[in-house]
Amino acid sequence: MSIKNVKGTHDIIGEEATSFTYIENLLKQIAELFGYQEVRTPVIEYSELFVRSVGESSDVVRKEMYTFLDKGERSITLRPEFTAGIIRLIVQNKLLATSELPLKTHYVGPAFRYERPQLGRYREFNQFGVEAVGINSAEIDAEVIVLSYTMLQSLNLENVLIKINTLGDEESRHNYKNALKQYFSPYLEKMCPDCHSRYELNPLRILDCKVPEDQEIVKGAPKIKDYLSKNAKEKFDYLLSLLDGLEIPYEIDDTLVRGLDYYSETVFEFHYTSRSGKDYGALGAGGHYDKLVKELGGPDVSGIGFSLGIERLYSVLKDDGLLEGYFDNDLDIYVMPIGQIDKQFVLQVTTGLRLAGYRTDQCFEDVKLTNMFKRAERKNAKYAIIIGENEIEKHEVIIKNLRTTEQETCPIDQLIETISRKMNEEDLDEEFSQNVKEG
Ligand code: AMP
């Protein structure tokens, strides 16, 4: 039996692979426009990093981590998210002491969660994200939200819905958790076993329970907005006024609590329904954190970040036809050797054209000339270079313009010069007809 890929993983092939690179490069460009620099963290980290940061009450730590003992009996985990690793990197390398604050980073790469595979949900998936660390300010929260919104706009995703909420400061959450405990206590017996441990570890997590009967109970639960301290409320209102000033549309969703324990104050998610109506889940999400850096051994400073799921971005862009026209895989030149000729000569011709900057491919298979022309057509090549016994003897090649079908013989030592002249003429012709079209 042949070996298949691991359940929940997926191969990324052809146009999908090109699209991933296109999406990631665009996001990177915009992050850098906003002053964020790339960092790369290892895929594996000590498990304790995630237990301490993402939190024991989160589903990610309780059920979804790929954890194993390495040969030295150390508990290792494949990163289920990036923020914890980035904060570890920042703390370990003492970057906060040597950088202007906030320290602004961006990242991209795979993350791993043992979840039930379904539409938009894999066990290995790719995230692009940012973290801005070192200063607690609503202006930075606003900058990060503007950045995320700009990224989604640049991908032509109009009508993205930003859902935003505040989890308040420590005081607000302390009071809110007590209120939740009081509310859930009489229902607890009927609720799922997970909710029992959530009740003990972090009652906020009960609000995310997916069991339908529990969701009914959750509907009547108290809301965080009624437990916000004066400070937390003022800060959230100020952030919203900053977003209004920057004309960033949002919707306050007071049920939004996010599944990772380190968040405090601002949390947000990006939602988008593609024209086909398929719901892939949130495109991305993020939030502010106050205690994470200290928890991981750094100074007592805040941060904020978000991450976007590349698989989900690709799916909605593809569904809505927003990736069309971005990919030019067309060839400039297709080199066609006829019969059993000196393959070294052919390879030198192809390499010479490539080094001169022309997107060139050659036929490696022993097929008929008509077949090679079909291949050139499929690759949308502009020119064919035909090389037979005769041409090799005379140190020549045949250049055929595949649009006009005109062809000429060219001495090999003048090939690059001739091709470059022809390409330039074609560019000028194109420019001319474009100008005529535009009047
Ligand atoms: P989170 O780290 O849970 O806040 O997720 C941030 C984003 O990563 C989500 O909005 C998704 O776009 C993406 N994401 C999270 N989990 C998965 C998954 N299992 N499969 C695919 N994408 C995911």
Side-chain angles (χ1 to χ4, degrees):
M1 205 181 70
S2 62
I3 299 172
K4 301 261 169 48
N5 62 313
V6 173
K7 185 175 175 195
T9 66
H10 63 129
D11 297 318
I12 304 166
I13 300 170
E15 190 212 276
E16 185 173 3
T18 331
S19 303
F20 271 48
T21 308
Y22 160 73
I23 295 168
E24 289 168 4
N25 284 344
L26 195 110
L27 299 178
K28 184 174 146 72
Q29 267 173 29
I30 296 168
E32 286 173 7
L33 190 69
F34 278 66
Y36 289 69
Q37 298 300 321
E38 182 167 11
V39 287
R40 296 184 185 221
T41 62
V43 168
I44 51 174
E45 297 276 3
Y46 291 120
S47 307
E48 193 196 344
L49 174 70
F50 303 110
V51 178
R52 284 226 325 241
S53 55
V54 177
E56 272 172 296
S57 77
S58 67
D59 279 358
V60 170
V61 168
R62 280 159 35 85
K63 308 187 222 169
E64 296 170 0
M65 295 207 304
Y66 278 91
T67 296
F68 59 95
L69 285 183
D70 71 4
K71 293 192 195 318
E73 303 278 302
R74 289 168 288 248
S75 179
I76 304 288
T77 293
L78 303 186
R79 63 177 172 223
E81 59 103 56
F82 280 76
T83 306
I86 294 204
I87 302 302
R88 183 208 42 76
L89 169 149
I90 291 175
V91 170
Q92 188 177 337
N93 293 284
K94 301 193 171 52
L95 299 186
L96 292 173
T98 51
S99 320
E100 184 184 330
L101 301 181
L103 176 64
K104 305 205 284 192
T105 60
H106 70 79
Y107 61 81
V108 65
F112 305 82
R113 292 184 197 169
Y114 195 81
E115 295 192 80
R116 197 166 65 78
Q118 52 190 292
L119 188 71
R121 200 166 286 286
Y122 297 95
R123 289 182 174 169
E124 178 178 355
F125 55 95
N126 291 278
Q127 287 189 328
F128 183 99
V130 309
E131 304 294 338
V133 185
I135 291 188
N136 187 0
S137 107
E139 287 87 1
I140 292 162
D141 291 4
E143 174 183 287
V144 168
I145 295 172
V146 176
L147 168 57
S148 61
Y149 187 69
T150 310
M151 286 176 170
L152 295 168
Q153 294 286 99
S154 309
L155 286 166
N156 290 325
L157 290 170
E158 282 158 19
N159 305 322
V160 168
L161 178 61
I162 304 181
K163 290 188 182 179
I164 190 167
N165 193 21
T166 178
L167 302 177
D169 49 18
E170 254 194 312
E171 181 195 337
S172 322
R173 272 196 312 286
H174 176 77
N175 294 337
Y176 184 46
K177 282 180 187 173
N178 282 343
L180 286 176
K181 277 194 151 180
Q182 228 172 24
Y183 171 79
F184 285 119
S185 166
Y187 297 106
L188 205 55
E189 224 167 86
K190 297 190 270 181
M191 297 180 81
C192 74
D194 274 348
C195 278
H196 286 221
S197 36
R198 287 173 183 139
Y199 182 88
E200 293 306 329
L201 288 167
N202 183 357
L204 266 173
R205 291 277 77 81
I206 299 179
L207 304 179
D208 275 341
C209 182
K210 299 285 174 294
V211 177
E213 292 78 14
D214 291 359
Q215 280 179 344
E216 279 308 305
I217 299 171
V218 165
K219 277 186 190 157
K223 297 278 191 290
I224 179 77
K225 65 172 186 242
D226 299 318
Y227 293 84
L228 292 179
S229 68
K230 188 165 169 283
N231 252 346
K233 186 168 175 355
E234 275 174 12
K235 192 170 172 201
F236 189 51
D237 288 343
Y238 176 51
L239 169 66
L240 298 182
S241 75
L242 292 175
L243 296 179
D244 290 338
L246 292 159
E247 297 182 10
I248 302 294
Y250 59 82
E251 185 182 285
I252 298 171
D253 177 353
D254 55 22
T255 63
L256 185 68
V257 289
R258 308 281 309 117
L260 315 176
D261 278 3
Y262 49 68
Y263 288 125
S264 55
E265 300 195 337
T266 317
V267 286
F268 49 95
E269 279 185 357
F270 312 106
H271 291 262
Y272 180 87
T273 310
S274 63
R275 282 177 218 145
S276 66
K278 280 190 203 155
D279 183 6
Y280 295 95
L283 292 182
H288 177 106
Y289 40 88
D290 282 327
K291 295 281 165 250
L292 181 59
V293 184
K294 187 149 190 267
E295 177 61 38
L296 295 179
D300 191 3
V301 294
S302 310
I304 178 161
F306 67 82
S307 70
L308 295 164
I310 306 292
E311 278 77 1
R312 293 189 191 176
L313 284 175
Y314 169 73
S315 300
V316 297
L317 289 168
K318 174 125 180 85
D319 278 4
D320 284 2
L322 297 172
L323 289 166
E324 281 152 26
Y326 278 112
F327 308 109
D328 173 14
N329 287 325
D330 295 355
L331 274 189
D332 291 319
I333 302 159
Y334 193 53
V335 179
M336 306 176 173
I338 308 172
Q340 297 303 315
I341 55 163
D342 178 2
K343 293 286 159 54
Q344 192 178 359
F345 178 81
V346 179
L347 196 56
Q348 281 167 0
V349 170
T350 304
T351 308
L353 289 163
R354 286 172 176 164
L355 295 182
Y358 297 107
R359 202 181 272 190
T360 307
D361 218 340
Q362 76 173 65
C363 184
F364 283 102
E365 287 174 277
D366 193 9
V367 295
K368 291 204 182 99
L369 193 59
T370 46
N371 199 324
M372 286 195 260
F373 275 116
K374 277 190 198 139
R375 292 178 185 205
E377 199 179 326
R378 273 203 299 275
K379 291 164 191 273
N380 232 347
K382 293 189 184 113
Y383 289 92
I385 303 285
I386 304 162
I387 310 171
E389 197 80 58
N390 212 1
E391 283 70 38
I392 293 201
E393 235 165 64
K394 294 191 192 151
H395 250 73
E396 292 174 348
V397 296
I398 299 169
I399 303 176
K400 180 163 184 150
N401 183 324
L402 294 168
R403 310 270 196 275
T404 62
T405 71
E406 282 165 26
Q407 69 176 52
E408 67 182 83
T409 310
C410 171
I412 188 65
D413 55 1
Q414 289 169 26
L415 175 61
I416 303 292
E417 200 188 313
T418 314
I419 280 287
S420 121
R421 183 172 36 79
K422 285 176 176 295
M423 291 279 187
N424 281 344
E425 280 167 10
E426 241 175 65
D427 285 351
L428 286 176
D429 281 354
E430 240 168 65
E431 216 174 287
F432 179 72
S433 46
Q434 189 69 24
N435 286 344
V436 170
K437 245 192 251 160
E438 287 169 6

